[in-house]
Amino acid sequence: MKSLKELQAQDKPREKLLKKGAKALKDYELIAILLGSGIKGKDVLKLSKEIAKLFETDFANLSLEKLQSIQGLGLAKASQILSAIELSKRYLIKQNKKITSPKDIYNELKDYTTKKQEYFILITLDGASHIINTHTLFIGTIDQSIVHPREVFATAIEDRAAGIIVAHNHPSNTPTPSQADIQITKRLKEVANLVGIELLDHIILTKDSYYSFSDEGLLF
């Protein structure tokens, strides 16, 4: 049984990764790095090629049981592979999600509509309006002293965002903006114009509906 350490330097996936980057590796080489070692009578690259073949033929229906049907692939290594795939899927979905309307924002933040406290949320977007990240910045009664543009735009700059959307929930289930909500939006818009990161919307969330400052023409 050969481990990665026992392979010749030119055949080592880790060496190749170090020298050329992950994109230069073949599928089975990436799998070999996840596995780390093979089993008795089957080295890590041979085992990895069998797994890659399964990927090619039935990736959509991949499961622990199907992975374990490969001789030498036990529960631990099969779980590592399946977990890596699932984690990648989740981040790809998040990164590819595009915001095209206030309704998209409401659906994205639906979990916040039943919160008992107010949550102030920042969504950062790239130039094509795809979500970069969703941040909870504040929890508690939202007013001008708590929601400071410094924290909002420091986070947006860190994400290298081209645009932002802010949102907060109203536990009262009334979507009408308060005077404080209007003032906060105005301040954020002013700073957005200064730093060159577009404020695309401010959404107030309730269990049954939402209020969009953009839809109401209150973002100038």
Side-chain angles (χ1 to χ4, degrees):
M1 177 179 68
K2 292 181 182 178
S3 71
L4 288 179
K5 291 181 179 179
E6 296 170 314
L7 296 170
Q8 293 297 319
Q10 64 267 27
D11 295 326
K12 281 181 169 180
R14 288 178 188 158
E15 290 284 336
K16 190 173 178 181
L17 177 67
L18 180 63
K19 291 178 180 178
K20 299 182 179 180
K23 290 182 179 179
L25 273 65
K26 296 178 181 178
D27 292 352
Y28 74 86
E29 291 174 319
L30 292 169
I31 295 168
I33 291 175
L34 282 174
L35 295 177
S37 63
I39 60 166
K40 187 176 181 179
K42 188 183 292 186
D43 67 39
V44 66
L45 291 182
K46 181 175 174 59
L47 182 57
S48 299
K49 286 176 181 178
E50 291 183 22
I51 297 168
K53 189 174 181 180
L54 177 62
F55 283 9
E56 291 171 7
T57 57
D58 200 20
F59 186 78
N61 298 306
L62 204 62
S63 66
L64 278 176
E65 291 76 18
K66 289 189 177 182
L67 284 167
Q68 287 182 275
S69 70
I70 296 173
Q71 184 186 5
L73 194 63
L75 177 60
K77 291 185 185 296
S79 298
Q80 284 177 232
I81 292 169
L82 206 61
S83 296
I85 292 169
E86 179 60 26
L87 187 62
S88 297
K89 284 180 179 178
R90 292 183 186 184
Y91 275 85
L92 285 170
I93 288 169
K94 183 172 74 171
Q95 289 173 3
N96 287 327
K97 193 170 289 185
K98 185 171 183 176
I99 298 298
T100 60
S101 69
K103 183 66 174 177
D104 290 343
I105 306 165
Y106 182 75
N107 291 333
E108 178 69 18
L109 302 178
K110 194 94 174 187
D111 289 347
Y112 291 91
T113 63
T114 57
K115 300 291 186 184
K116 302 300 182 185
Q117 289 180 283
E118 288 191 29
Y119 282 66
F120 188 85
I121 307 132
L122 169 68
I123 298 177
T124 54
L125 304 166
D126 64 18
S129 295
H130 292 107
I131 294 176
I132 299 171
N133 269 312
T134 300
H135 305 272
T136 298
L137 295 187
F138 310 101
I139 301 174
T141 302
I142 306 302
D143 60 39
Q144 292 182 70
S145 63
I146 295 176
V147 181
H148 197 286
R150 179 177 57 247
E151 283 74 23
V152 174
F153 287 97
T155 304
I157 290 168
E158 187 175 341
D159 282 357
R160 299 181 181 274
I164 62 169
I165 293 165
V166 296
H168 74 280
N169 61 308
H170 275 184
S172 65
N173 210 34
T174 302
T176 306
S178 66
Q179 192 59 40
D181 295 336
I182 294 169
Q183 290 301 316
I184 289 165
T185 308
K186 183 179 179 182
R187 289 178 66 198
L188 291 174
K189 182 64 176 177
E190 289 171 352
V191 177
N193 291 338
L194 288 173
V195 300
I197 297 176
E198 189 176 3
L199 175 63
L200 297 167
D201 210 342
H202 182 177
I203 300 288
I204 297 173
L205 311 162
T206 70
K207 291 180 184 178
D208 307 310
S209 61
Y210 62 87
Y211 181 97
S212 163
F213 278 76
S214 177
D215 274 359
E216 298 298 324
L218 296 177
L219 290 178
F220 298 103

